[in-house]
Amino acid sequence: MVMALRTAARMQTGTQQDVAAIAAFMAATSFETTRLPDDDAAALRTHAAPGTPVYVSELPSRPLAEQIAVVEAVRQAGFEPVPHVAVRNFGSAAALSDHIGRMVERAAVTRVLVIAGDRAEPAGPFRAAVELIESGLLQSAGIGEVGIAGYPDGHPRIAPITLERALAAKLEAAAATGLSAHVVTQFTMAPEPVVAWLTRLRDQGIDHLVRIGFAGPTSVAALLRFARICGVRASAQGLARNVGLARNMLGAAAPDRAVRGVAI
């Protein structure tokens, strides 16, 4: 009986430590959105602290003015907007500078997530994110920090070694041009690829803040569809193993396991 009580006590302590670790991990959470209607803004204010970063996607199929409107709505709701800037979508450096300038002026934007974008060929002079980081345009517009894309699950069209070199080059370019930097990953559904990738980064001496992308609660079918689009094959395979894919395609999936695996 005494041994059983001691075992139970150790299990309880372990559970409390796990909860504390998860809570600490989630305390610095951020969100991502493509739009922010009033009811969503109200719900976010209920659950997130003022000033929480909200990343705002740039959709190539939609007018840039829509992103500016969402960025303004995020700021008005009491949160910090961090817009995506997909460099291949801009026909000129002037157009890109004007877009960023409007967001700085209207919503006091100081941070952006710089990505290349999915266009096969650039619309203008910028082909890669590092080119914008090196250009000085961001600093001139009032931006002091950049987010840089990370790929724990890899990229469907880019080799892993190329991704690692590109990440290092962008971080070096940010430091050389006076920009602070952090890393933002693609969304993940399994912790194993993330932990392995983070271990490699830290072993390489990259100690920047990393924001891990977790998919919110949705159907398994929807998650697997997005996984195919984004190329997160390892996470998709992990999800299939852990939810019993054949039986649960119409069921719901939440990021609990992935969050726990990374946080603990």
Side-chain angles (χ1 to χ4, degrees):
M1 176 64 72
V2 172
M3 183 178 294
L5 289 174
R6 287 176 178 168
T7 300
R10 285 196 298 270
M11 291 177 63
Q12 180 65 24
T13 300
T15 300
Q16 291 172 344
Q17 291 172 343
D18 289 354
V19 170
I22 293 170
F25 177 73
M26 296 301 293
T29 193
S30 61
F31 297 89
E32 181 174 332
T33 189
T34 56
R35 58 189 181 89
L36 192 69
D38 291 343
D39 54 345
D40 286 351
L44 193 57
R45 281 193 295 267
T46 300
H47 299 288
T52 294
V54 177
Y55 290 76
V56 180
S57 299
E58 177 195 326
L59 300 177
S61 61
R62 306 301 302 168
L64 289 172
E66 288 190 6
Q67 186 189 35
I68 295 175
V70 177
V71 165
E72 290 184 273
V74 169
R75 178 63 75 185
Q76 290 167 3
F79 304 104
E80 182 188 4
V82 186
H84 294 197
V85 176
V87 301
R88 292 189 177 194
N89 292 343
F90 291 88
S92 68
L96 197 160
S97 180
D98 179 70
H99 181 63
I100 295 174
R102 289 175 185 271
M103 293 189 290
V104 171
E105 178 182 356
R106 298 184 186 182
V109 167
T110 61
R111 297 193 280 180
V112 295
L113 173 62
V114 181
I115 56 176
D118 292 330
R119 294 177 66 108
E121 292 297 327
F126 295 109
R127 174 174 291 274
V130 69
E131 295 170 359
L132 175 59
I133 295 170
E134 292 172 336
S135 72
L137 185 154
L138 294 172
Q139 299 90 320
S140 297
I143 300 300
E145 182 173 343
V146 290
I148 294 169
Y151 298 91
D153 269 284
H155 189 286
R157 297 183 299 277
I158 304 174
I161 187 63
T162 302
L163 289 173
E164 291 188 6
R165 288 173 177 169
L167 175 60
K170 285 179 275 191
L171 291 172
E172 290 172 4
T177 55
L179 290 168
S180 298
H182 63 280
V183 181
V184 182
T185 78
Q186 67 198 136
F187 85 88
T188 186
M189 296 173 289
E192 294 84 4
V194 177
V195 172
W197 177 79
L198 280 172
T199 301
R200 290 198 303 275
L201 286 192
R202 300 319 187 204
D203 288 345
Q204 293 166 10
I206 296 175
D207 59 0
H208 294 69
L209 170 71
V210 176
R211 292 193 177 277
I212 306 299
F214 295 107
T218 186
S219 72
V220 173
L223 276 182
L224 291 175
R225 183 172 67 254
F226 287 123
R228 286 194 296 272
I229 294 171
C230 299
V232 288
R233 292 185 297 273
S235 281
Q237 292 166 357
L239 175 69
R241 286 194 300 270
N242 284 279
V243 302
L245 179 59
R247 299 189 302 277
N248 292 286
M249 279 295 289
L250 298 180
D256 301 37
R257 175 179 174 270
V259 170
R260 180 184 179 88
V262 175
I264 300 175

